[in-house]
């Protein structure tokens, strides 16, 4: 056997693995762009149809025109939701590459409390039972991104719940990790589908067309966790149904200035 065959083999394997990874990334990117285009085209098509129908019927009364305007407004909201979610996702991915340019000491409990305060009216409307346990969960990171991640989890817990269901929001830390847990009751979730919930434009098996929400909430949560050197996991709950999501980020040590 010729000398130097092992280094040559390693180089070829590295090139093949690198090429395979690049191809997989390209496929994911094309799929993402295709899904984003679909999400934008669908409400635009609905709006165009409603407007064309209204213009073709000059005898429409005020009630019919108002109904058309409401459909157009709802689809404008869908487009706005998608654009806002895409911007959040892009920011989280950029912060991951730039190693958190706006990092500072913050607490997951405070981020969760802000998210709960925003969601309180929706909780009351659905008559949900909300339990919050805020133990210290210090981290070093971008407070705005972390609050957005917490907000997405709380919003999902409301959207996928049932009337008079339950939501729980817990924070805490141990020697190495600060964590945030958000759980909710709801319809039964197939455990096999849970990992796919973090994929872009995935709504947990629900039809895309006509649904509010861009299907990017969990993708944003995952991107924020990765930007902070953490991880996020989810598990389907038996019995009452629903989901529990756990976000973990390295704990922040004591502030040297305060020490």
């Amino acid at each position: 056997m010729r000398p130097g065959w092992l280094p040559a083999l390693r180089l070829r394997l590295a090139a093949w693995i690198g090429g395979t990874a690049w191809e997989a990334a390209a496929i994911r990117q094309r799929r993402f762009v295709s899904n984003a285009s679909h999400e934008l085209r669908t409400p635009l098509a609905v709006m165009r149809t409603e407007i064309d129908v209204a213009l073709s019927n000059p005898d429409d009364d005020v009630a019919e025109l108002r109904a058309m305007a409401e459909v157009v407004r709802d689809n404008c909201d869908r487009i706005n939701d998608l654009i806002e979610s895409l911007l959040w996702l892009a920011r989280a991915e950029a912060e991951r590459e730039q190693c958190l340019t706006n990092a500072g000491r913050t607490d997951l409990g405070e981020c969760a409390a802000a998210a709960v305060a925003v969601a309180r009216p929706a909780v009351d409307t659905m008559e949900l039972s909300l339990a919050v346990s805020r133990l210290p969960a210090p981290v070093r990171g971008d407070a705005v991104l972390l609050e957005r991640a917490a907000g997405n989890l709380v919003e999902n817990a409301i959207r996928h719940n049932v009337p008079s269901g339950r939501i729980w929001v817990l924070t805490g830390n141990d020697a190495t990790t600060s964590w945030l847990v958000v759980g909710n009751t709801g319809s039964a979730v197939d455990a096999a589908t849970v990992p796919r919930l973090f994929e872009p434009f995935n709504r947990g098996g629900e039809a895309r067309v006509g649904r509010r929400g861009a299907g990017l909430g969990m993708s944003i949560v995952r991107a924020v966790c990765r930007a902070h050197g953490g991880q996020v996991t989810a598990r389907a709950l038996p019995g009452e149904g629903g989901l529990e999501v756990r976000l973990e980020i390295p704990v922040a040590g004591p502030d040297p200035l305060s020490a």
Side-chain angles (χ1 to χ4, degrees):
M1 188 172 291
R2 291 183 301 174
W5 67 272
L6 185 57
L9 178 60
R10 287 174 176 169
L11 287 174
R12 289 192 178 186
L13 284 173
W16 179 81
I17 293 172
T20 302
W22 183 88
E23 290 175 3
I27 291 172
R28 287 195 300 270
Q29 184 180 34
R30 287 196 296 269
R31 186 186 302 121
F32 181 89
V33 172
S34 175
N35 286 335
S37 298
H38 173 83
E39 291 285 344
L40 283 170
R41 287 185 182 131
T42 299
L44 287 172
V46 172
M47 292 163 62
R48 178 62 183 265
T49 300
E50 289 288 331
I51 293 171
D52 286 345
V53 170
L55 291 175
S56 66
N57 293 287
D59 297 328
D60 280 352
D61 58 23
V62 174
E64 291 171 321
L65 292 175
R66 287 185 63 87
M68 180 273 293
E70 290 176 358
V71 172
V72 171
R73 182 187 59 190
D74 289 344
N75 281 274
C76 285
D77 289 341
R78 286 186 61 193
I79 293 173
N80 184 71
D81 289 346
L82 174 60
I83 293 174
E84 183 178 1
S85 295
L86 288 172
L87 291 174
W88 278 110
L89 184 59
R91 176 176 175 180
E93 294 288 357
E95 288 295 336
R96 180 186 178 189
E97 295 178 0
Q98 299 171 11
C99 299
L100 291 174
T101 54
N102 296 318
R105 187 179 176 84
T106 185
D107 193 292
L108 291 179
E110 297 175 2
C111 298
V116 168
V118 172
R120 178 68 71 171
V123 171
D124 294 339
T125 298
M126 289 189 64
E127 299 182 346
L128 300 175
S129 172
L130 175 63
V132 179
S133 176
R134 281 182 53 196
L135 295 177
V139 296
R140 181 167 182 79
D142 187 316
V144 176
L145 280 178
L146 292 171
E147 186 175 323
R148 180 65 268 162
N152 285 357
L153 293 179
V154 174
E155 289 168 13
N156 281 347
I158 296 171
R159 180 179 292 124
H160 300 287
N161 217 313
V162 292
S164 302
R166 298 187 300 114
I167 296 176
W168 52 99
V169 180
L170 319 170
T171 64
N173 76 92
D174 55 30
T176 61
T177 305
S178 288
W179 44 266
L180 162 66
V181 172
V182 179
N184 64 281
T185 55
S187 58
V189 178
D190 184 355
T193 67
V194 170
R196 296 201 295 271
L197 296 177
F198 297 99
E199 296 176 2
F201 304 107
N202 188 302
R203 293 191 176 95
E206 296 174 350
R208 283 197 303 195
V209 179
R211 301 287 303 186
R212 286 302 303 272
L216 291 172
M218 296 292 272
S219 297
I220 293 172
V221 172
R222 181 176 63 179
V224 171
C225 284
R226 288 177 173 177
H228 289 78
Q231 63 179 356
V232 59
T233 56
R235 65 186 184 97
L237 300 177
E240 292 180 284
L243 196 72
E244 185 174 81
V245 183
R246 182 180 180 91
L247 183 155
E248 297 182 343
I249 292 176
V251 68
D255 190 335
L257 293 179
S258 62

